[in-house]
Amino acid sequence: MTLSDEELDALATDFIRTAVAEDTKSGRFDRRVRTRFPPEPNGYLHIGHAKALNIDAGIARDFGGKFNLRFDDTNPVKEEEEYVDGIVNDVRWLGWDFGNEIFFASDYFEQMVVWAEQLIEQGDAYVDDLSPQEIREYRGTLVEPGENSPYRDRSVGENLDLFRRMRAGEFPEEACVLRAKIDMASPNLNMRDPVMYRILHQSHHRQGDQWCIYPMYDWAHGLEDSIERVTHSLCDLGYRDHRPLYDWFLDRLGIYHPQQIEFARLFMTYTVLSKRKLLQLVEGEHVQGWDDPRMPTLTGMRRRGYPPEAINAFCDRIGVSTANSVVDVALLEHAVREQLNEHAQRVMGVLDPVKVVIDSYPEDQVEWMEVDNHPQRPGLGKRTVPFSREIYIEREDFMEDPPRKYYRLAPGKEVRLMNAYLVQYKTIVKDEEGNIVEIHCTHDPNSRGGEAPDGRRVRGTLHWVSAAHALDAEVRLYDRLFIKENPEEAAEGETFLNNLNSNSLEVQQGCKLEPSVAEAQPGDCLQFMRVGYFAVDPDSTAEQLLFNRTIQLRDTWAKIQSQAQTPRKKG
RNA sequence: UGGGGCGUGGCCAAGUGGUAAGGCAACGGACUUUGAAUCCGUGUAUCGCACGUUCGAAUCGUGCCGCCCCAGCCA
């Protein structure tokens, strides 16, 4: 697929795409586009990675190019197979096409050594015997230049011999390293003779014990990109200062040279996105694992019920720039609601049930009401829902002494039971503690389906579930994990862990769901009308239904009420 | 005090010399068998600040201020 210059111009929607379009038009890379996503398999992917993926893979897709999924597995001490599988799974879930070929940096180790020897022969690299501590001291500081290592001027022959012996396993860890010979006085610390290889007597998750020297990121990354003929190597702003080094290695080697371009990482309100902190949440058991629905990990969001389309739509909307910014989590939630509103089937479920007895309704009668699966999308079909004399409604849908503008059930009021009947309040029954046990109503038999026979206006419409047919379920209600917009903002001596929301998980037992819900499969996300979206948990069974609240519906009534309690200040 | 990057309404973000897109949020209203969705409407944005160049600057120049990143044998 070859794009015309006009088509390329149309794709130049942000600074990276503009650069890619220009390079393609100029023929710099033979009008070819190839990107890559290079995670290190040392943790699970999170929403920030979804942004990177959206840029990397999205550009390849839009420019008719190719996209490589490549594991940057150059550090055996931190990496595990478990993470490889998890990451592949997440990338697939988001829907990105990586051609079903998975690349591994470790597959290039042999070629990297050949190139390292080339650099040694050119006098561009040397084996340094300084200890880690000494290397740090020789490096200088931000404002002082570094000093040359006393081993910097070894002969090519000696360097080659030493490097080969490093590889052969003759030295213990930390005995020596291979370094690039650049400039110890460079104002860019990355250029002060960076380490290329360190000795690690560790077995690698894919290479086993074949290696005892492992390449450092700066040395390895450009080579990986070069081998894969990547055209544009996109990474986060943190690597901006590394680009001169990326270019230096490729130039010295005289090999195919991709273009590195950096963009800002994603930050979001009420969430933390650093691997270290996410790991702390898991290991400190502040959440129940990487896939806890409160986690910003892709596996967590999947369990929560967030559709992958929503995550990608979110990434499309936040844009790409080089400014550090904090995106409002409400934007993500908006994308989730938008997707779910369009696609989620509607059902009725009562989270906090209170029984309603319709005195006027025949005792043993059951009517199966025909109901739309999605009122705005008739194409999604219909189902039947049983109605009977005793039903459950939401406890908060009845008030003995309601405030103004409350148009749910209350003394003297008539409401509509969605798709069933109009009912009128009669009386209530309380237990000794004063809790409402039953609400008694009468129905208008001429209102079957919920239509008022005389056209009278009935404002309130409630969801309900027939008591005799109700399915019991446990529903987990999730709220944001942190109470502060910026979780890092902690008092003296405190950390982000002090900003954890102690009410981020509320388990609700004894919820009552309409029987059709039994057919839902793990992962399915349904709208419980008037309440929110709920996803079937992977642990859910026919005996114990388990739902995770994905997200609430917008709740204008709740907003009105909270405003009534705390009036907004007027200036 | 070194180097790199960034500063456009509450939050993102277009715009690259011709007189400030769009989305989210917020706030009104219409409609409504989801107080949802949908629809309509609402913002005097000192374009970080100050000088300067120009007929004209968010866009160019100079100076200043603020924020972020870099001193791993991590990526």
Side-chain angles (χ1 to χ4, degrees):
Chain A
M1 161 170 168
T2 307
L3 267 22
S4 67
D5 287 5
E6 292 69 36
E7 289 172 311
L8 289 166
D9 286 336
L11 290 171
T13 51
D14 59 57
F15 81 100
I16 296 178
R17 284 161 188 265
T18 298
V20 173
E22 288 307 313
D23 288 342
T24 306
K25 284 201 287 183
S26 74
R28 178 177 173 190
F29 299 109
D30 305 321
R31 295 186 83 94
R32 207 168 46 78
V33 173
R34 192 178 195 103
T35 59
R36 105 267 91 115
F37 175 65
E40 183 186 15
N42 68 345
Y44 283 85
L45 262 30
H46 55 65
I47 185 77
H49 294 108
K51 171 182 177 179
L53 233 12
N54 189 263
I55 294 168
D56 293 332
I59 285 176
R61 176 245 276 143
D62 295 344
F63 283 81
K66 286 194 160 184
F67 161 66
N68 289 3
L69 171 58
R70 176 175 77 224
F71 287 94
D72 209 358
D73 54 349
T74 56
N75 185 357
V77 323
K78 297 167 71 177
E79 298 154 6
E80 293 172 30
E81 199 66 39
E82 172 201 350
Y83 295 124
V84 172
D85 299 338
I87 290 169
V88 170
N89 192 28
D90 287 342
V91 174
R92 282 219 173 92
W93 178 65
L94 283 180
W96 297 114
D97 172 20
F98 50 89
N100 280 318
E101 186 175 0
I102 300 171
F103 297 86
F104 292 89
S106 56
D107 286 341
Y108 312 142
F109 282 176
E110 197 64 55
Q111 174 63 251
M112 288 177 186
V113 165
V114 171
W115 279 326
E117 293 196 357
Q118 179 187 334
L119 252 33
I120 291 171
E121 277 160 8
Q122 289 172 192
D124 287 326
Y126 62 98
V127 173
D128 194 349
D129 296 351
L130 253 26
S131 69
Q133 164 75 353
E134 289 167 325
I135 285 184
R136 197 176 318 130
E137 288 163 6
Y138 275 75
R139 186 153 32 227
T141 68
L142 293 176
V143 293
E144 296 165 280
E147 275 176 68
N148 285 170
S149 162
Y151 303 99
R152 198 173 197 258
D153 294 314
R154 294 217 252 224
S155 69
V156 167
E158 191 183 357
N159 282 139
L160 215 45
D161 175 59
L162 254 14
F163 180 58
R164 287 176 178 164
R165 288 165 61 193
M166 275 171 68
R167 177 182 177 174
E170 290 188 26
F171 310 116
E173 292 186 8
E174 302 193 346
C176 52
V177 291
L178 183 71
R179 292 231 252 171
K181 192 188 285 187
I182 307 180
D183 177 9
M184 289 305 291
S186 172
N188 180 347
L189 304 229
N190 299 122
M191 300 298 273
R192 320 247 259 226
D193 289 11
V195 172
M196 295 164 63
Y197 279 99
R198 76 283 214 188
I199 297 170
L200 253 25
H201 291 281
Q202 298 274 345
S203 55
H204 185 276
H205 69 102
R206 298 191 77 241
Q207 303 293 327
D209 295 321
Q210 259 190 276
W211 296 90
C212 62
I213 56 170
Y214 290 91
M216 297 288 289
Y217 169 87
D218 285 308
W219 164 240
H221 207 83
L223 307 184
E224 298 160 20
D225 288 341
S226 184
I227 288 168
E228 293 175 16
R229 311 292 287 181
V230 164
T231 57
H232 300 271
S233 182
L234 314 177
C235 57
D236 78 64
L237 251 27
Y239 295 99
R240 181 62 244 258
D241 293 342
H242 294 247
R243 192 163 80 206
L245 184 50
Y246 181 99
D247 291 336
W248 189 90
F249 281 128
L250 262 12
D251 286 342
R252 290 291 158 148
L253 256 12
I255 59 177
Y256 173 81
H257 193 155
Q259 174 67 52
Q260 176 179 305
I261 303 175
E262 314 83 16
F263 59 86
R265 271 171 45 196
L266 171 68
F267 293 94
M268 213 160 52
T269 55
Y270 296 101
T271 105
V272 300
L273 289 178
S274 90
K275 273 188 190 172
R276 208 192 97 248
K277 295 196 175 82
L278 260 18
L279 190 63
Q280 260 181 282
L281 289 172
V282 173
E283 293 187 335
E285 295 181 1
H286 299 102
V287 295
Q288 288 161 9
W290 287 100
D291 67 345
D292 186 298
R294 292 165 292 182
M295 289 284 273
T297 51
L298 297 179
T299 183
M301 291 181 171
R302 177 164 58 238
R303 188 166 191 171
R304 175 85 174 248
Y306 283 19
E309 295 86 352
I311 292 171
N312 288 141
F314 165 74
C315 293
D316 285 338
R317 285 183 205 216
I318 57 177
V320 189
S321 77
T322 51
N324 287 324
S325 55
V326 184
V327 175
D328 192 339
V329 71
L331 185 55
L332 208 213
E333 294 171 345
H334 167 78
V336 171
R337 286 200 186 94
E338 188 176 53
Q339 176 70 23
L340 257 16
N341 174 51
E342 173 96 14
H343 298 281
Q345 181 172 317
R346 267 111 245 236
V347 296
M348 289 193 285
V350 177
L351 262 34
D352 183 15
V354 61
K355 184 170 278 185
V356 172
V357 180
I358 299 155
D359 296 329
S360 57
Y361 197 83
E363 221 154 302
D364 296 316
Q365 186 172 327
V366 176
E367 283 181 276
W368 289 80
M369 305 297 191
E370 193 171 65
V371 176
D372 287 330
N373 287 331
H374 188 130
Q376 282 76 42
R377 299 183 63 193
L380 261 34
K382 292 175 183 292
R383 67 184 188 288
T384 53
V385 181
F387 180 80
S388 62
R389 189 171 193 261
E390 297 196 354
I391 61 172
Y392 292 107
I393 66 167
E394 213 71 65
R395 197 165 276 276
E396 65 168 26
D397 281 341
F398 172 79
M399 278 184 99
E400 261 189 288
D401 185 18
R404 257 175 62 74
K405 288 203 200 160
Y406 182 87
Y407 45 83
R408 276 112 102 142
L409 192 61
K413 288 224 182 181
E414 181 179 47
V415 296
R416 169 168 33 243
L417 294 176
M418 199 179 275
N419 292 113
Y421 286 101
L422 262 27
V423 296
Q424 203 142 32
Y425 171 85
K426 260 299 207 254
T427 179
I428 49 174
V429 178
K430 291 183 178 178
D431 63 15
E432 291 91 55
E433 278 111 54
N435 300 309
I436 298 170
V437 180
E438 272 179 12
I439 302 169
H440 283 73
C441 294
T442 54
H443 78 302
D444 177 346
N446 296 319
S447 66
R448 190 178 194 280
E451 209 87 53
D454 55 358
R456 90 185 90 104
R457 194 168 159 77
V458 177
R459 195 72 203 272
T461 301
L462 311 186
H463 58 282
W464 50 272
V465 173
S466 167
H469 305 83
L471 260 28
D472 275 293
E474 172 180 318
V475 175
R476 295 154 180 178
L477 307 175
Y478 297 103
D479 198 355
R480 25 191 66 141
L481 233 199
F482 295 96
I483 51 175
K484 280 202 169 178
E485 193 168 299
N486 175 9
E488 319 284 3
E489 189 186 294
E492 233 1 80
E494 300 196 332
T495 71
F496 73 105
L497 294 172
N498 294 280
N499 291 326
L500 246 8
N501 176 7
S502 53
N503 300 316
S504 61
L505 169 60
E506 187 189 328
V507 178
Q508 184 95 37
Q509 307 277 1
C511 301
K512 303 291 184 182
L513 310 179
E514 65 165 77
S516 75
V517 165
E519 289 163 35
Q521 298 301 307
D524 287 356
C525 194
L526 308 169
Q527 186 194 96
F528 291 1
M529 293 189 99
R530 303 210 310 132
V531 182
Y533 296 97
F534 296 80
V536 182
D537 190 85
D539 292 342
S540 183
T541 63
E543 293 71 42
Q544 174 61 79
L545 289 174
L546 246 38
F547 278 84
N548 297 320
R549 182 171 70 195
T550 307
I551 194 163
Q552 286 170 277
L553 249 28
R554 280 215 172 72
D555 192 346
T556 306
W557 173 242
K559 193 185 287 181
I560 291 170
Q561 282 185 303
S562 70
Q563 277 171 3
Q565 281 164 20
T566 50
R568 295 184 66 209
K569 273 188 218 153
K570 292 251 167 151

